[in-house]
Structures are given as structure tokens and as C-alpha cells.
Amino acid sequence: MDRDPLGDARTLVRDRYPQAVYAVLAGSVLTEHRTAGSDLDIVVVLPLGDLLAPRRESLVFASWPVELFVHDEQTLDWWLAKERPERKPTLHRMVGCGTPVVGDPAERQAACRAVLDAGPDPLAPAQLEAARYGLTDLLDDLTHAADTGERQVIAAALWADAARLALVAGNRWNGTGKWLLRELRAHDPDLADRWLAAQHDPAAIEAFARDVLDRLGGPLFDGYRAVAPRPEVTAPARS
């Protein structure tokens, strides 16, 4: 734990990508969340058109597990734009909240932080209805599950989905793994505590999910309709 993550990240980038325009060290390694297993998450931005971008690399350097996210400005733009409708701003967080180790990414960092602060766009009506329908369907499955194993699996799925939709209801960014909990805590600490406490109690999970559904407009089944685009079908060639 006495290793220097910033110095090691800087050395790695300069050795592996000497052409880098800038690089940012992100993740828990520079925070109170650092553990003995923390890795170095590094976003590296190369000159425009560099053939090494985009790519992701996993390696070990100076005893650190390292994840490298390599881009040029054009590919970085594309991946950042892709995150916004998905409501999972992983790359925005890494760039916007990371610590520079090479070059000066100040302008890009400010832009990423502005997106994070603004929050996601609200779901479109059809997306919101689909989310309500999905959670309603899981609740119904849990209510009528007779098999103990199936009930446990349904409860686990409902527990995770309810947390994600609680973030939708609060117009907050989503997350996976530890970031799901971190986002929920940032949104509503009491709600996060309720969610954690409910994890192994199907009745508590059901109550939590119903509360989330009420925040989204209530259960939705009767009358729900989703219209899909008609696929283009090519007629077979005549012999």
C-alpha cells in the first residue's frame, strides 16, 4: 500500500505510449476506497489517427494490475457519446474525475465533469413504459413462484433491477457492480440502506420494488404495448 500509483502510472504511459498527448489515472486507487487489490485504470489519448487507438489492454506493471483504455480524440468522442443514452458514464468518470499523469487534459476533463453534473437525459416514454413493465413482470413472477430455487433467482434479479430503476426515477446515472451502490448512495442514502437490508428477504425486496414502481408511475401490464420495427426481408432469388 506504500507504492506510488501516480509515479508508476506516469512511467508506464511514457514507456508504452511515448507519443501520448495526455493520460489520466482513475479509479479507487487514489481514493479512500483503495484496497490491496486496487488496479491502475488509465485513459491514454494518442495523436489523432494513431493506429494504436482505440484499444483496451490488461497487464501487470510494477506489481500493479493495470487496465489501459487507449484512444485518440476522435474515438474518445465516439465512446463518450455512446455512454450517454446507456446512462452508464464509466469513461466520463475516469476522464473527468481522474488525475492527469501525462500532458494537460483540463479542457476534456471539464467537459466530462459537466456531463456528469448535468445527469442523464430522462427516459423516453416508451423506454419508461418498458422499464415499468419489466419490473411489474418480475414482481408477478416473485408473487407466484412456487419453487424455492426459482423464487431466490427471481428475487435476486428483482433486487438489482429495482435499484437501477430507483436511479431512473431519480434521473441519476446508472452503474454496475459497486457503482450501482455508489450511485444509489449518492442519490438517496436511506434508500440505499433499505435496498441493502432487503437483499436476502424476498418480502422486503418486493416492498422495495413496489415503492420504486410507484415513483415511476405504478405497475404496468394491462394495456402495455411495444411496437418493434418491421425487419426488411429479402425475397429469395428465383432460379
Side-chain angles (χ1 to χ4, degrees), residues 6 9-10 22-26 30 42-43 94-106 109 113:
L6 282 171
R10 184 175 297 112
Y22 60 82
V24 175
L25 174 62
L30 297 178
I42 308 173
V43 179
M94 286 195 290
V95 175
C97 304
T99 300
V101 292
V102 170
D104 182 10
Q109 288 193 291
R113 286 194 294 268

Side-chain angles (χ1 to χ4, degrees), residues 93-157:
R93 286 195 192 103
M94 286 195 290
V95 175
C97 304
T99 300
V101 292
V102 170
D104 182 10
E107 185 175 348
R108 176 67 82 170
Q109 288 193 291
C112 286
R113 286 194 294 268
V115 170
L116 292 171
D117 292 343
D121 293 332
L123 287 186
Q127 292 174 305
L128 181 57
E129 286 190 350
R132 289 169 58 201
Y133 172 81
L135 204 63
T136 302
D137 190 50
L138 277 173
L139 269 169
D140 186 63
D141 283 348
L142 183 64
T143 299
H144 299 290
D147 181 278
T148 301
E150 289 183 2
R151 184 172 173 79
Q152 291 174 337
V153 171
I154 295 165

Side-chain angles (χ1 to χ4, degrees), residues 8-49:
D8 287 339
R10 184 175 297 112
T11 298
L12 172 60
V13 173
R14 287 177 172 168
D15 286 352
R16 198 170 188 85
Y17 295 104
Q19 76 274 39
V21 178
Y22 60 82
V24 175
L25 174 62
S28 60
V29 72
L30 297 178
T31 74
E32 71 276 11
H33 299 293
R34 178 178 173 180
T35 69
S38 291
D39 59 5
L40 304 183
D41 292 323
I42 308 173
V43 179
V44 181
V45 176
L46 305 180
L48 189 63

Side-chain angles (χ1 to χ4, degrees), residues 30-200:
L30 297 178
T31 74
E32 71 276 11
H33 299 293
R34 178 178 173 180
T35 69
S38 291
D39 59 5
L40 304 183
D41 292 323
I42 308 173
V43 179
V44 181
V45 176
L46 305 180
L48 189 63
D50 194 303
L51 295 179
L52 295 179
R55 65 175 56 201
R56 178 172 176 171
E57 293 185 82
S58 301
L59 53 95
V60 175
F61 178 81
S63 299
W64 292 102
V66 180
E67 296 279 4
L68 288 162
F69 304 86
V70 183
H71 291 278
D72 65 16
E73 291 287 3
Q74 188 175 56
T75 66
L76 185 60
D77 279 340
W78 191 90
W79 282 99
L80 289 172
K82 183 175 181 292
E83 287 187 339
R84 297 186 70 172
E86 295 175 353
R87 307 173 72 87
K88 294 179 182 177
T90 304
L91 192 55
H92 280 87
R93 286 195 192 103
M94 286 195 290
V95 175
C97 304
T99 300
V101 292
V102 170
D104 182 10
E107 185 175 348
R108 176 67 82 170
Q109 288 193 291
C112 286
R113 286 194 294 268
V115 170
L116 292 171
D117 292 343
D121 293 332
L123 287 186
Q127 292 174 305
L128 181 57
E129 286 190 350
R132 289 169 58 201
Y133 172 81
L135 204 63
T136 302
D137 190 50
L138 277 173
L139 269 169
D140 186 63
D141 283 348
L142 183 64
T143 299
H144 299 290
D147 181 278
T148 301
E150 289 183 2
R151 184 172 173 79
Q152 291 174 337
V153 171
I154 295 165
L158 180 61
W159 181 72
D161 281 2
R164 285 189 280 268
L165 289 183
L167 294 172
V168 168
N171 202 37
R172 301 284 300 201
W173 293 110
N174 214 328
T176 55
K178 62 190 177 186
W179 274 104
L180 179 57
L181 176 58
R182 289 178 185 179
E183 285 290 351
L184 199 58
R185 281 173 168 165
H187 168 52
D188 186 333
D190 291 337
L191 192 67
D193 288 345
R194 278 185 55 207
W195 180 65
L196 286 174
Q199 183 177 12
H200 301 296

